[in-house]
Amino acid sequence: MFIEERHQEISEIIKTNGKITVAEITDKYKISDESARRDLRLLEQKGVCKRTHGGAIAAPQVSVRPPVDRNFEKMPVFDNYREIAREAAGMICENDTVYLTGGSLGYIMVSFLPKNIKYTVVVNSVDIARELRSFDNIDVYVAGGRMRQSGSLVDSLANEFVSRLHFDLCFITGAGLTVGFGLSNGTDETAAFQRAVIKNSRKKCLLLPGVKIGADSFIKVCDAETFDLIITDWDCVEEQLLAIEEKGVKIKVVNNGR
């Protein structure tokens, strides 16, 4: 098989599955790790993919999508999301006041939240607030405002609510992160709400799956170095992480299961 044919097949696999590993390439084409990584480097230069620690992911498009309905109860919980959520929940200390992201990672975090200490949680998701009703050790505050179809609240009323609060720790998520553009999201409302939370937080933690690192979305939220800590997974783009670490940001890459 010619190299060009192999590259075409690898490109199709990435397009179909969203990613490919070095191990898959070496096994399928009987080539060395070095050759597989060279293939991915060349495909990255053509804009086909973004290289990660163990392979590559599809090159993302700029995301400009309106909020959609989220059925948290039926969504699949992927290993990387579970481990990021577990790591984040372990950061909460007694008497903390915490902002918990209204995204899927916030919902997954609920099952890992400490139950043996007292603390306060502020949310802007009616679905997550409902799950927190069963915790008798947590004081829960819900940001008010117009509810989106997704169940989140990020309008000017919700923004005003969080602007009057102070957080010991905030957990933020987003649609993309690059060292050049920073954290970004798909709508201006979400970005403005997140900036209000970040501004009033003592410690700022970004929870982001590796596939979103190296991607830019539509609206900038803040610079990457705004965060004290970024928790991501094993599919992260290494060159982006190294560049972000040079900005003084601590990065925690979770393991694939424990």
Side-chain angles (χ1 to χ4, degrees):
M1 175 181 287
F2 293 112
I3 293 177
E4 291 79 6
E5 293 176 308
R6 185 169 77 234
H7 286 184
Q8 182 60 40
E9 286 192 4
I10 293 172
S11 298
E12 290 299 320
I13 293 171
I14 294 172
K15 182 179 179 181
T16 301
N17 299 334
K19 64 180 181 178
I20 195 169
T21 65
V22 169
E24 288 171 335
I25 296 172
T26 58
D27 183 62
K28 181 176 177 64
Y29 299 105
K30 310 304 178 187
I31 59 176
S32 66
D33 282 7
E34 182 180 350
S35 295
R37 293 185 187 279
R38 184 177 63 246
D39 285 350
L40 294 177
R41 184 170 65 252
L42 293 171
L43 290 173
E44 183 179 47
Q45 291 172 358
K46 294 178 182 179
V48 173
C49 63
K50 288 280 188 180
R51 286 180 296 155
T52 67
H53 177 71
I57 57 175
Q61 294 177 303
V62 172
S63 174
V64 187
R65 297 188 301 169
V68 296
D69 181 31
R70 293 177 181 147
N71 191 334
F72 285 136
E73 293 180 355
K74 293 185 178 180
M75 73 175 182
V77 178
F78 300 109
D79 290 346
N80 57 336
Y81 277 67
R82 184 187 64 249
E83 296 307 322
I84 291 172
R86 188 202 306 271
E87 184 72 29
M91 296 175 59
I92 299 173
C93 298
E94 189 164 12
N95 297 323
D96 273 349
T97 297
V98 179
Y99 167 74
L100 184 60
T101 173
S104 56
L105 274 165
Y107 187 86
I108 297 168
M109 277 182 68
V110 171
S111 62
F112 297 111
L113 290 178
K115 296 183 178 180
N116 60 338
I117 57 174
K118 292 280 189 179
Y119 53 100
T120 299
V121 173
V122 179
V123 295
N124 64 310
S125 164
V126 296
D127 296 302
I128 296 176
R130 183 185 66 242
E131 296 300 312
L132 292 175
R133 290 175 61 186
S134 62
F135 287 76
D136 58 11
N137 62 311
I138 303 176
D139 289 331
V140 181
Y141 289 79
V142 185
R146 179 178 60 85
M147 186 181 69
R148 285 177 165 181
Q149 186 182 4
S150 63
S152 64
L153 306 99
V154 293
D155 66 357
S156 59
L157 294 174
N159 197 322
E160 175 67 18
F161 179 86
V162 295
S163 69
R164 298 185 181 186
L165 304 177
H166 174 80
F167 305 101
D168 294 298
L169 175 62
C170 72
F171 294 107
I172 301 291
T173 55
L177 176 73
T178 59
V179 68
F181 194 55
L183 176 68
S184 51
N185 251 315
T187 70
D188 185 56
E189 275 188 330
T190 298
F193 178 85
Q194 291 181 322
R195 282 193 290 268
V197 171
I198 291 168
K199 180 181 178 181
N200 287 0
S201 298
R202 180 175 58 84
K203 188 168 185 178
K204 308 161 186 69
C205 181
L206 177 62
L207 313 179
L208 209 62
V211 295
K212 294 184 179 182
I213 294 178
D216 287 324
S217 191
F218 185 47
I219 302 289
K220 178 174 179 174
V221 178
C222 63
D223 293 329
E225 57 264 37
T226 300
F227 295 97
D228 301 291
L229 172 67
I230 296 172
I231 303 178
T232 186
D233 60 61
W234 50 90
D235 271 335
C236 50
V237 179
E238 287 187 316
E239 64 181 30
Q240 283 288 329
L241 291 188
L242 291 173
I244 292 170
E245 282 185 314
E246 289 179 357
K247 297 284 188 178
V249 182
K250 183 180 178 181
I251 295 176
K252 171 65 178 181
V253 179
V254 298
N255 296 321
N256 186 359
R258 296 192 176 184

